[in-house]
Amino acid sequence: MMTLPFPVRDANTGSGGEALGNLPEWDLSDLYSAPDAPELARDLDWFDKEAASFAADYDGKVASLSPADLLTAIQRSEKMDQVAGRIMSYAGLRYYQHTTDATRAKFMSDCQERLINASSQLVFFWLEFNQIEDSAYDTAMSASTDLARYKPVLDRRRAMRPYQLSDELEKFLHDLGAVGDAWEKLFDETVAGLEFTVDGEVMGIEATSTLLTEPERATREAAAHEIARVLGDNVKTFARVHNTLAKEKEIIDRWRKMPTAQTGRHLSNDVEPEVVEALRNAVVAAYPKLSHRYYELKRKWLGLDRMQVWDRNAPLPIDDPRTVDWATAEKMVMDAYAGFDPKMAEIAEPFFSKGWIDAGVKPGKAPGAFAHPTVTNVHPYVMLNYLGKPRDVMTLAHELGHGVHQVLAAGQGEMLSSTPLTLAETASVFGEMLTFRKLLSEAKTDTQRKVLLAGKVEDMINTVVRQIAFYDFECKLHAARREGELTPEDINALWMSVQAESLGPSFDFMDGYETFWAYIPHFVHSPFYVYAYAFGDGLVNALYAVYEEAPEGFQEKYFDMLRAGGSKHHTELLAPFGLDASDPKFWDKGLSMISGFIDELEAMEEA
């Protein structure tokens, strides 16, 4: 009945520097003015009463509702989702600002438990909705255009019909969800509380992983070994979290008779398993001409006999080591957005001026980056850990793309605005591409062009190759967990089984690298999320090729696609551009853009 909207951190975040200027912080008052705000207490009370009233009105009656009454029920459900989403967005965002603050953690847990307790009365609704016969459902959709507007999201709900359990079991699983959430919170708090010491300085995971992009190789090596040491010291905790959550998922999937561990993700993404399989196979087949080929080039640029894992994100010797301050980063991204269409910059501007971005690295703040849509009658919030390197600028462009998408899709309303993960990455990756192309067009020398191309290739490899390797790791992890408990060494071996294959023969792997799976949040918060990054990158590469070939009228078609939110299937959204993601050759087109950039880099070497 109700989805509690916690943000999911994005995959590729940036690296560090100083003298960044005035970094913005969130102003959460558009949600609530304070944890004890009377408006928040009012909304909690309203939710309690409305949940009870809704159950009294509809429990046991959904299948017999007229189209008009069904529409009213869905709209009431949507309103409850909005109120609950507002409450949990406020509680969740406050928590992510300072995950080690016990009062914030308690506040979030208390809000969550109260909403879960009240919403347990609502579980019946979608269960009964899915028991409506197909013929009656089709008749209702035909009888009311207002009701038919919800059909795309209702169809996705009904896709769960074959896997639905009894009403009693569904209510039990709903209530039990708080236990899995507690394990996720344990993971977050453990990661946020980790301390690493490099060159006498104590720091968190974000700042330490940033050192892996430093120009000094000794610093990168020290950081890599320190990450390995600390993760190794905590690996039993991380293995317990993964074992527990994977086992919980296996039990639920088994009871639902889901054919694979990935089925639930594919259903929620509204994407066919064969499309994901075609994407995965295309990327794996392309490893030699993408990551293997690029890292061999990079090995030569760095003057190394062998690459080590701490060299993967090393800057090139010709890189400009300057720090990009916040004002410069804002101008770079906003200029790129405005160059595509002034409307895009107009939508993005309030993020900077109205406290919709929290950019600084602070003790206890969650690592990574995300754009959280909150609810459609407020606005999104973007979280960064901005440390001033070019990749941080690309992260800003990425998250701001999400924000623009969420603003445009809000007009669809609470149920239809939410975009499946496969398409949710489209605007973010497109925002990165716009920023990259803008910078590339302004490059004044071959050296500048080479640095920009190499940086983009690395980002694309991280977005496509690395995320598909992550997906393969998760597939192996969940398959192995179905056979029994996994030791830390078992999980380490699964991790290493995908690393050499994806990174290629130029690399050696230090002792301790086998634990680097442990702090990646997607595996815990949103299993199998990661293929959405590769899907989004391939999709954007194809879209951008269409834009270059025929720019006239592209912008409005693009904005229409974003405005659609989750109201259309990917085949409908891509049809105006002449694209079809169900065609296996589609992915080869997207991958060829990356390969083409590497071709250009190789040609520069030979010139």
Side-chain angles (χ1 to χ4, degrees), residues 417 435 444:
S417 64
T435 304
K444 294 180 174 62

Side-chain angles (χ1 to χ4, degrees), residues 402-414:
H402 277 307
V404 167
H405 193 177
Q406 291 158 1
V407 169
L408 286 168
Q412 294 287 344
E414 216 61 46

